[in-house]
Amino acid sequence: ACIVALPELSTPEHIFVTATLRISEIMIGILCACAVSEIILPETVSEILYRAAKKRFTMFDDFVRNVLNGRIRQDEVETMQLRFISDVAALDGYGAAASLEAGAAVHKERVRLFNSDFMSVSTSFYTLYAFTRDILPPSSAAVREAVEDALQEVASALGSGGRDEQASQTAAATARAMTSCRETIRRNLLAQAADPRLPRSDAGILKAAVHVLERFLTDMHDYLLRYAELDRPAVRNAVKPVRFTPNIDRSIPFMSGLRAAVLLSGLSLCWWAAAWPDANGSTMTSIAVAFCALRAADANPARSIYVTCLGASAGVLASNIYSFYVLPHATGLPPLLSSYFPFLGIGLYCCTI
């Protein structure tokens, strides 16, 4: 509404015509996108869902290995955990869209089971991380060393499985390694906890470590098997998966609306105080409102705004270079296209990072 109304504040009689044109443009864009995706570059939602699931597996596998080896800071762990939660919701939404396609029922069910296993393993891993961060440090040096050795054994058992998105066959071997690792860790830690010379508090911490490690290794075993079966035609079992049900605080929509209202009011006052022309002020306000709506739902809004501003600054610099140093030398259609594609390719590459 702001994008349509703000540019036409000086001519309110044109707002209805502008809104009608904007709706027509959006409908034409939807039709063109459908034609391209169905005729020129056919791609189904099931394929997008499949690739997203395999990419998410690779990210989580590297994340677990880096956390166990101590290569990630605490704030990065929290950010990645929030990102994984948003990925769960995104994959669930893709699954709902894929149900509209013909022959996508089995594919959707397999990815939905994979998403359910991911919710379990990400929760158990964060529990393990919280245990090593909050409960383990006050214990004795012997207990910390025993648990750290167990974590290193888990990292070694993970190996290199899952680093390659196409190496789903290695996930089954890694799942078997998780099973043997679970038994070894349980036997070693319980043997140390049974030592009569060990204080009761340290023995309790070791038993708790056995519990959280067993839960994580069991969930990781199931998750690896589910990933290995993404390429197979049949589903391992027909258990009913746990669906992601968002539990949203009722105050969040109110706070989001209040934030947008404060932003819009502040920018409008700046627009009025600076006496900007209508075109410049409406463009600034519309872009700010759109950014506020799009970036507020990110796991790290501050970083998203920083990256976007960095990209916009680079885009302004590239556009000035192209407009003043490259475009004047393009004297025909072939030189114009050849000079335009390098700049377009940089932008398309940045969108894939």
Side-chain angles (χ1 to χ4, degrees):
C2 293
I3 295 176
V4 173
L6 287 175
E8 303 297 334
L9 287 178
S10 59
T11 56
E13 64 275 7
H14 296 158
I15 289 180
F16 179 77
V17 177
T18 303
T20 304
L21 291 176
R22 182 59 60 89
I23 293 174
S24 301
E25 293 170 357
I26 293 173
M27 295 302 297
I28 292 174
I30 292 174
L31 293 176
C32 293
C34 292
V36 170
S37 61
E38 292 293 333
I39 301 174
I40 302 177
L41 298 173
E43 186 176 40
T44 62
V45 179
S46 298
E47 295 174 352
I48 299 174
L49 179 65
Y50 185 71
R51 288 200 305 269
K54 303 195 79 170
K55 181 179 179 181
R56 204 261 308 276
F57 173 84
T58 305
M59 291 176 56
F60 183 73
D61 182 76
D62 292 337
F63 170 71
V64 170
R65 188 177 295 104
N66 290 331
V67 171
L68 293 177
N69 292 325
R71 293 196 292 261
I72 295 184
R73 301 191 309 269
Q74 179 177 344
D75 57 338
E76 294 178 344
V77 173
E78 302 292 340
T79 301
M80 287 298 296
Q81 192 69 17
L82 292 174
R83 181 174 181 179
F84 289 140
I85 293 173
S86 64
D87 286 346
V88 168
L91 278 179
D92 198 74
Y94 278 134
S99 62
L100 300 176
E101 298 178 349
V106 176
H107 199 88
K108 172 194 170 184
E109 182 67 15
R110 188 182 300 115
V111 176
R112 191 166 60 142
L113 290 169
F114 177 77
N115 208 29
S116 176
D117 287 339
F118 176 74
M119 285 190 279
S120 299
V121 71
S122 61
T123 302
S124 60
F125 180 72
Y126 188 79
T127 303
L128 174 62
Y129 168 75
F131 173 83
T132 58
R133 182 192 61 190
D134 301 330
I135 299 178
L136 188 61
S139 61
S140 63
V143 172
R144 291 198 301 271
E145 183 179 356
V147 176
E148 288 172 359
D149 289 344
L151 295 177
Q152 290 302 315
E153 189 171 349
V154 174
S156 300
L158 284 173
S160 60
R163 287 177 180 266
D164 183 4
E165 292 185 12
Q166 302 299 326
S168 60
Q169 63 273 12
T170 63
T174 308
R176 292 191 294 270
M178 290 290 102
T179 302
S180 63
C181 180
R182 179 181 59 196
E183 299 301 326
T184 302
I185 289 175
R186 175 183 175 83
R187 183 173 56 253
N188 294 339
L189 292 183
L190 288 181
Q192 296 186 41
D195 190 349
R197 296 171 298 177
L198 195 68
R200 293 184 60 184
S201 59
D202 289 345
I205 291 178
L206 282 176
K207 292 178 181 179
V210 171
H211 176 72
V212 295
L213 280 168
E214 277 191 326
R215 180 187 172 189
F216 166 68
L217 291 172
T218 300
D219 291 340
M220 192 67 182
H221 171 269
D222 295 339
Y223 182 60
L224 288 165
L225 287 183
R226 192 72 67 186
Y227 175 75
E229 292 167 357
L230 284 179
D231 295 327
R232 299 177 186 175
V235 180
R236 176 161 52 98
N237 50 32
V239 297
K240 184 177 181 180
V242 179
R243 294 188 60 84
F244 174 76
T245 303
N247 186 13
I248 301 176
D249 190 352
R250 294 182 181 272
S251 63
I252 292 179
F254 172 76
M255 295 303 297
S256 300
L258 180 63
R259 177 179 56 226
V262 171
L263 176 65
L264 184 59
S265 301
L267 290 177
S268 299
L269 289 175
C270 293
W271 180 8
W272 173 75
W276 274 17
D278 291 343
N280 296 336
S282 62
T283 301
M284 176 195 68
T285 309
S286 302
I287 293 176
V289 171
F291 268 63
C292 180
L294 293 175
R295 299 304 182 189
D298 286 348
N300 192 348
R303 175 172 174 79
S304 299
I305 292 294
Y306 170 76
V307 173
T308 303
C309 292
L310 188 64
S313 301
V316 170
L317 179 62
S319 65
N320 287 330
I321 294 175
Y322 179 76
S323 299
F324 296 109
Y325 296 99
V326 178
L327 187 60
H329 301 285
T331 57
L333 182 60
L336 178 64
L337 296 178
S338 61
S339 64
Y340 177 71
F341 281 135
F343 291 88
L344 179 62
I346 294 174
L348 293 175
Y349 172 75
C350 292
C351 291
T352 62
I353 299 177

